[in-house]
Amino acid sequence: MNSQDPTASTADADRDPVVDLLDVLNLEPQGKTRFGPLDAAMDPDSEHTHELEMFVGRSQETPQKRAFGGQVLAQSLMAAGLSVRGNPELGERDVHSLHAYFIRPGDSFQPINFAVENLRDGNSFSVRRVYAMQEGKTLLSATLSFQVPAPGLEHQAQMPAVPDPDRVRTTAEELEGIDHPVADHWRSRAVDVRTVEGALFFRPGRQHNASQNVWMKTAGALPDDPLIHAAVMAYSSDYTILESNLRRHGLVWADRRLRPASLDHSMWFHRPGRVDEWLLYQQESPSASGGRGLGLGKMFSLDGTLICTVAQEGMIRVKDLD
């Protein structure tokens, strides 16, 4: 998946980007279907079938025509959450973890189908597997777990001391004077992203550290729905999680030699949080090797509460230009 595709739709250039994002997350139920045994190759006589709950969602058009990985991730979270909510006997169960593999790029001009398999509904946890598909081919496979609210041990990492968001340059300020279609798309994202150490759109950072801090929140208010807030966190978590790798090596997104793509993505949701209020996304890269880079991140609310932890490995290749 493309890790830095803009969020604005080229077909809806004048549409409010937050309204557009909510529309993308508004999946349409398609009923249920059944498929054959997963272990048919090992047990051809098995008659056990599996039920899939189907959803469909539109894509956000991008100049590269490749679906933004964060979009597919967020829609997969929505599909799993809607499946859990579809059983009223389960009560309140919020997502607590997500583990996904990006398998192949998607077409940003085509809708995406989401097939949800119910792996288990226990007394405290529900587990769903989601397949995001286009034209019968899997784009992403994810497993998500949901939990009944429960008390327990409490501790958390400390939020780093960084300048407040109103003291950090906005994307518009970072891109001032740059007349380029991609820059226009970056300016119109649904999420306000402000990098404390300076954005890596066109200019590399002065210090080549494998870490950075990013303030972010949606450009408008979101509904009071924890599933939507979790989905938008997943969506925006894919924006900059690999940038610590780029910063360490003096690279920028506009470098024509760069070939980035998300490979896998995990999130752990520790506590409730809102993404239409400022979150600090602390990021670092402990390693890059084999054409891959690892990114780790923590999201803190403005009061220092640790909301979630993120891990992603991405393909980061730097090709020689002829």
Side-chain angles (χ1 to χ4, degrees):
M1 294 290 175
N2 191 332
S3 294
Q4 270 292 307
D5 279 334
T7 66
S9 166
T10 55
D12 299 311
D14 297 328
R15 189 176 190 178
D16 182 284
V18 175
V19 172
D20 184 70
L21 176 55
L22 290 173
D23 182 58
V24 165
L25 297 179
N26 185 25
L27 304 184
E28 182 179 342
Q30 300 291 295
K32 296 183 178 181
T33 186
R34 301 194 73 85
F35 69 100
L38 292 174
D39 56 354
M42 299 177 61
D43 185 5
D45 296 326
S46 173
E47 297 180 356
H48 185 62
T49 60
H50 297 257
E51 186 176 75
L52 293 176
E53 192 170 359
M54 305 298 297
F55 299 87
V56 65
R58 55 166 280 253
S59 294
Q60 294 175 312
E61 299 173 12
T62 66
Q64 297 90 343
K65 299 183 180 181
R66 296 178 61 176
F68 172 48
Q71 171 210 304
V72 185
L73 196 70
Q75 289 173 314
S76 297
L77 193 157
M78 288 296 301
L82 292 173
S83 172
V84 173
R85 286 184 175 180
N87 185 348
E89 296 180 0
L90 298 177
E92 180 185 356
R93 299 192 178 196
D94 293 330
V95 63
H96 80 86
S97 68
L98 173 161
H99 305 281
Y101 279 94
F102 297 98
I103 297 171
R104 55 172 54 86
D107 183 346
S108 69
F109 286 77
Q110 299 296 328
I112 300 177
N113 295 300
F114 298 88
V116 183
E117 181 184 6
N118 182 346
L119 297 182
R120 184 173 188 268
D121 284 325
N123 292 332
S124 299
F125 293 88
S126 292
V127 184
R128 298 292 187 271
R129 179 180 290 132
V130 181
Y131 303 92
M133 300 177 293
Q134 281 182 334
E135 298 181 346
K137 296 182 179 180
T138 302
L139 310 181
L140 175 145
S141 174
T143 302
L144 301 96
S145 182
F146 298 75
Q147 182 189 9
V148 174
L153 301 176
E154 282 281 344
H155 75 271
Q156 67 160 74
Q158 185 174 356
M159 180 179 178
V162 299
D164 289 341
D166 59 358
R167 295 177 177 270
V168 180
R169 286 164 60 87
T170 66
T171 296
E173 291 170 336
E174 293 275 8
L175 297 173
E176 186 176 3
I178 298 177
D179 184 12
H180 192 281
V182 174
D184 292 339
H185 283 286
W186 279 329
R187 293 185 185 100
S188 62
R189 293 188 295 195
V191 181
D192 185 349
V193 177
R194 306 183 183 189
T195 307
V196 172
E197 293 79 7
L200 297 179
F201 297 126
F202 292 94
R203 291 183 290 270
R206 290 193 300 271
Q207 297 179 329
H208 292 182
N209 296 327
S211 62
Q212 64 177 23
N213 296 278
V214 179
W215 287 106
M216 63 183 191
K217 75 177 182 71
T218 55
L222 297 178
D224 294 329
D225 183 343
L227 181 61
I228 288 177
H229 284 268
V232 177
M233 286 182 201
Y235 180 95
S236 53
S237 71
D238 193 36
Y239 274 146
T240 58
I241 187 61
L242 295 180
E243 283 190 354
S244 294
N245 292 273
L246 304 189
R247 189 175 298 278
R248 172 64 179 81
H249 295 277
L251 296 170
V252 296
W253 290 114
D255 192 323
R256 292 175 56 237
R257 301 171 301 160
L258 190 62
R259 301 293 187 274
S262 306
L263 295 175
D264 55 23
H265 196 105
S266 294
M267 297 184 73
W268 296 266
F269 297 86
H270 310 302
R271 299 168 182 84
R274 300 187 64 95
V275 72
D276 56 1
E277 298 175 355
W278 285 113
L279 295 176
L280 179 67
Y281 196 4
Q282 180 189 26
Q283 302 166 354
E284 64 173 323
S285 173
S287 177
S289 64
R292 308 182 314 276
L294 179 63
L296 304 178
K298 301 182 184 74
M299 291 187 189
F300 297 88
S301 63
L302 199 57
D303 66 1
T305 301
L306 178 62
I307 304 300
C308 69
T309 299
V310 183
Q312 182 185 103
E313 190 168 48
M315 182 185 75
I316 304 179
R317 295 175 178 168
V318 182
K319 298 287 188 179
D320 292 330
L321 298 178
D322 295 332

